[in-house]
Amino acid sequence: MLWVSSRRWATAGHDFGASVAAWCALVRPDVFRSLALMSAPFAGPPALPFDTADNPPQQTSPEVNIHNELARLDRPRKHYQWYYSTRPANTDMRDCPQGVHAFLRGYFHYKSADWTGNKPLRLESWTAGELAKMPTYYIMDLHKNMAETVAAEMPSTAQIAACRWLPENELAVYAAEYERTGFQGGLQWYRRGTGGIDTAELQLFSGRTIDVPAMFIAGKSDWGTYQRPGNFERMQQNACTRMLGCHLIDGAGHWVQQEQPERVSALLTEFLRRQ
């Protein structure tokens, strides 16, 4: 999303749109003069390693190790981003037994404040035991796909009827488009991240900070704020030098701009007015 205000561009994004917005503000602060991030903290560019001639980087990355650790838990688990990077993920969702509409209803419900099990907390470290505290839409059961995962948390008929932030007729539009296109286009983003495809390019900006006014908005019931341990803090302390506010909104989970649109709009309007 983009706005123009007094000839200044502001950029805002939700989820991995937040990453796009953050990079816009970091790379071109002359164009993008303020930044609003939603649900996904931005911890800064990847570090560029130095002194590697005599101390070469480890060949086994922490990411590889964490998958082995997750699989060895008493309740074996796997990370959703690496699942989304696999070849079967698109078909698992597009051709799921419950149908795309029901799959999306379960997915939206499970990650929202309507699912009362969403009670996020700060994770201490990037370890299997800590990550496994998150719900299964993030740290999945090892032998289940995403359609099977959300089917177990399907809302009741009464809950669906009461969902004002995503009524059935609006969800039908989403479902029809994903039935037509599939999910693979969006899933490519996960392949980019888990495969490190553009890491070397992004490392060119190592050490750069976002120096335009910035704010962060998320639902208080959104695990996305904490899914990468330490990123929420790094965003405020290092990545953004002019962070003007972090707002965790009651009554919202991951879909904060849908679940609490009036509150989000008020925060964005006030932020832009201050600029």
Side-chain angles (χ1 to χ4, degrees):
M1 298 177 286
L2 296 172
W3 293 272
V4 179
S5 177
S6 301
R7 296 184 180 179
R8 292 186 174 190
W9 286 88
T11 180
H14 174 258
D15 198 283
F16 57 81
S19 177
V20 174
W23 278 102
C24 286
L26 186 143
V27 176
R28 292 299 306 270
D30 57 319
V31 175
F32 301 99
R33 306 299 294 274
S34 56
L35 167 68
L37 303 169
M38 287 185 277
S39 297
F42 181 74
L48 185 64
F50 289 94
D51 300 323
T52 58
D54 297 321
N55 299 287
Q58 294 182 357
Q59 296 301 309
T60 303
S61 72
E63 306 290 9
V64 173
N65 294 337
I66 197 66
H67 304 310
N68 293 335
E69 292 177 20
L70 286 168
R72 287 196 297 262
L73 290 172
D74 291 340
R75 179 184 179 181
R77 308 284 283 276
K78 62 187 176 187
H79 197 287
Y80 82 105
Q81 291 190 359
W82 276 262
Y83 163 73
Y84 275 158
S85 301
T86 64
R87 189 176 294 274
N90 177 58
T91 301
D92 289 344
M93 295 182 287
R94 188 177 187 179
D95 299 334
C96 61
Q98 67 265 51
V100 171
H101 187 103
F103 164 69
L104 290 176
R105 173 57 71 187
Y107 192 78
F108 275 95
H109 171 76
Y110 194 12
K111 295 186 72 172
S112 75
D114 294 346
W115 190 72
T116 56
N118 281 323
K119 300 184 184 301
L121 50 86
R122 283 178 170 82
L123 302 177
E124 295 298 324
S125 59
W126 182 259
T127 58
E130 285 294 294
L131 296 184
K133 295 177 181 179
M134 289 191 282
T136 54
Y137 54 76
Y138 277 155
I139 307 300
M140 304 166 66
D141 287 319
L142 182 62
H143 300 297
K144 286 187 177 180
N145 63 40
M146 189 59 79
E148 294 166 337
T149 297
V150 303
E153 304 297 339
M154 190 69 182
S156 67
T157 301
Q159 288 175 309
I160 294 172
C163 185
R164 296 182 180 276
W165 58 270
L166 186 58
E168 284 288 87
N169 64 319
E170 293 183 7
L171 181 61
V173 177
Y174 292 10
E177 284 302 294
Y178 280 116
E179 287 168 354
R180 182 177 67 86
T181 66
F183 296 89
Q184 192 59 61
L187 296 178
Q188 297 298 84
W189 181 85
Y190 293 99
R191 291 186 174 185
R192 175 213 61 81
T194 60
I197 293 171
D198 58 358
T199 299
E201 294 174 81
L202 299 181
Q203 284 175 328
L204 295 174
F205 298 93
S206 178
R208 287 280 298 273
T209 55
I210 293 174
D211 301 319
V212 301
M215 71 178 303
F216 179 79
I217 302 172
K220 190 174 286 186
S221 298
D222 185 4
W223 271 100
T225 302
Y226 305 117
Q227 67 162 306
R228 284 274 178 169
N231 277 10
F232 184 53
E233 292 75 20
R234 281 188 283 271
M235 174 185 66
Q236 299 172 72
Q237 297 166 7
N238 304 112
C240 297
T241 63
R242 297 177 67 188
M243 179 63 70
L244 300 185
C246 288
H247 306 274
L248 303 181
I249 298 177
D250 285 319
H254 186 63
W255 325 103
V256 61
Q257 77 279 22
Q258 292 173 256
E259 295 177 71
Q260 294 294 334
E262 293 86 359
R263 180 63 177 143
V264 170
S265 295
L267 287 169
L268 290 172
T269 300
E270 176 60 22
F271 173 69
L272 292 174
R273 185 177 293 118
R274 290 173 64 185
Q275 308 318 309

